[in-house]
Amino acid sequence: MRLRNIPRAAEEVANHPIVIQSGEEHKGKWNKVFDNPNPIHIEIGMGKGQFILSLAKQNPDINYIGIERYTSVLLRAIEKFDTEEYSSLSNIRFLCMDAADIANIFATQEVDRIYLNFSDPWPKARHAKRRLTSREFLARYEEVLKQDGTIEFKTDNIPLFDFSLEEIKESNYTLVDFTKDLHHEPSMNKGNIMTEYEAKFSALGNPICKLIARR
Ligand code: SAM
């Protein structure tokens, strides 16, 4: 994502009630934040938030946490939350953090599902560890995902998708399903919510890949 520094972003992110400031304090107690025992689904690298806000609106009995590293990007998600369509939702929170630290924020088995959408490809081999579907990140997710918890990953980047399939194969996860043309695969596309990047790249004619893996 191209980043433009927005001077007021840090202040907005620090003061908006939808953003949890010290995630570490809620480790093992996220259900108290939401005041219910509902499942917790997180999106890592949520960007401007369209996907997770739409899910939260559709599924009031699931708690959603959107993770984004940059305040300038998170600001856009906050602004979207503040619109009439989403501002009354009580089942969503945002965290501004590097996903590498996820095990400091969630306890073992605290998360039911992780969504990764159009993650940065980091094309250079020496940067492979930074990819959000690398074995290093998959191991971090294992620390917080429930047994049988799932990861759902979408991208239009075929080398990144092939890499991700290989990493899943080498990991403790089971590949449940995958497609290299989601929008023409009715069973996997049912109920699909497009992300900002998905809308942009599919409009250019790029097929969208998706995989689902189970812990
Ligand atoms: N998921 C959105 C979509 O599909 O429209 C945004 C995709 S954008 C290419 C990737 C996003 O992931 C960026 O906003 C980036 O800042 C965020 N990101 C990348 N690495 C991250 C990390 N380690 N922790 C948290 N966010 C990260």
Side-chain angles (χ1 to χ4, degrees), residues 2-43:
R2 194 148 37 93
L3 284 176
R4 198 160 50 88
N5 185 40
I6 305 174
R8 70 190 159 83
E11 200 185 328
E12 288 268 345
V13 165
N15 293 313
H16 199 289
I18 187 101
V19 185
I20 301 290
Q21 300 303 328
S22 324
E24 297 85 353
E25 286 172 16
H26 303 288
K27 183 173 177 174
K29 299 179 281 196
W30 280 96
N31 286 130
K32 288 205 175 123
V33 171
F34 293 100
D35 204 19
N36 63 51
N38 294 340
I40 293 177
H41 293 188
I42 68 179
E43 184 185 8

Side-chain angles (χ1 to χ4, degrees), residues 120-146:
D120 297 327
W122 294 106
K124 291 185 181 139
R126 68 187 154 88
H127 290 150
K129 285 183 184 173
R130 299 183 189 178
R131 297 173 194 152
L132 292 181
T133 50
S134 64
R135 63 195 65 192
E136 289 80 7
F137 271 96
L138 291 175
R140 292 175 183 126
Y141 306 150
E142 234 181 299
E143 290 188 52
V144 303
L145 260 182
K146 284 223 163 78

Side-chain angles (χ1 to χ4, degrees), residues 45-46 68-70 97-99 117-118 120 195-197:
M46 69 165 173
E68 169 54 50
R69 184 165 20 188
Y70 296 108
M97 60 173 277
D98 182 343
N117 291 315
F118 295 80
D120 297 327
T195 76
E196 282 90 351
Y197 269 61

Side-chain angles (χ1 to χ4, degrees), residues 37-202:
N38 294 340
I40 293 177
H41 293 188
I42 68 179
E43 184 185 8
I44 297 180
M46 69 165 173
K48 297 177 186 172
Q50 182 64 52
F51 176 83
I52 197 164
L53 283 164
S54 305
L55 278 178
K57 189 171 177 190
Q58 266 182 21
N59 304 295
D61 294 337
I62 296 173
N63 297 324
Y64 290 92
I65 300 173
I67 296 177
E68 169 54 50
R69 184 165 20 188
Y70 296 108
T71 54
S72 297
V73 184
L74 185 51
L75 177 64
R76 299 303 176 211
I78 293 172
E79 288 170 344
K80 204 164 283 166
F81 170 79
D82 278 337
T83 58
E84 207 181 326
E85 195 172 359
Y86 301 115
S87 59
S88 61
L89 294 177
S90 58
N91 62 331
I92 184 159
R93 299 290 188 281
F94 297 148
L95 280 169
C96 193
M97 60 173 277
D98 182 343
D101 300 326
I102 193 168
N104 298 333
I105 303 295
F106 298 101
T108 315
Q109 310 242 9
E110 195 165 24
V111 176
D112 293 78
R113 183 174 297 170
I114 297 177
Y115 291 105
L116 302 167
N117 291 315
F118 295 80
S119 309
D120 297 327
W122 294 106
K124 291 185 181 139
R126 68 187 154 88
H127 290 150
K129 285 183 184 173
R130 299 183 189 178
R131 297 173 194 152
L132 292 181
T133 50
S134 64
R135 63 195 65 192
E136 289 80 7
F137 271 96
L138 291 175
R140 292 175 183 126
Y141 306 150
E142 234 181 299
E143 290 188 52
V144 303
L145 260 182
K146 284 223 163 78
Q147 196 64 48
D148 289 333
T150 48
I151 296 175
E152 298 200 4
F153 171 54
K154 292 194 281 188
T155 183
D156 69 321
N157 185 309
I158 292 174
L160 177 65
F161 192 69
D162 288 340
F163 165 85
S164 307
L165 288 172
E166 285 302 315
E167 294 294 273
I168 297 279
K169 213 186 283 172
E170 296 300 318
S171 72
N172 295 325
Y173 295 82
T174 306
L175 185 64
V176 177
D177 211 348
F178 77 96
T179 173
K180 290 193 169 180
D181 194 0
L182 176 65
H183 296 173
H184 296 100
E185 183 83 48
S187 63
M188 280 190 88
N189 197 41
K190 193 163 176 257
N192 182 50
I193 292 175
M194 287 220 256
T195 76
E196 282 90 351
Y197 269 61
E198 185 172 354
K200 186 166 112 186
F201 289 124
S202 64

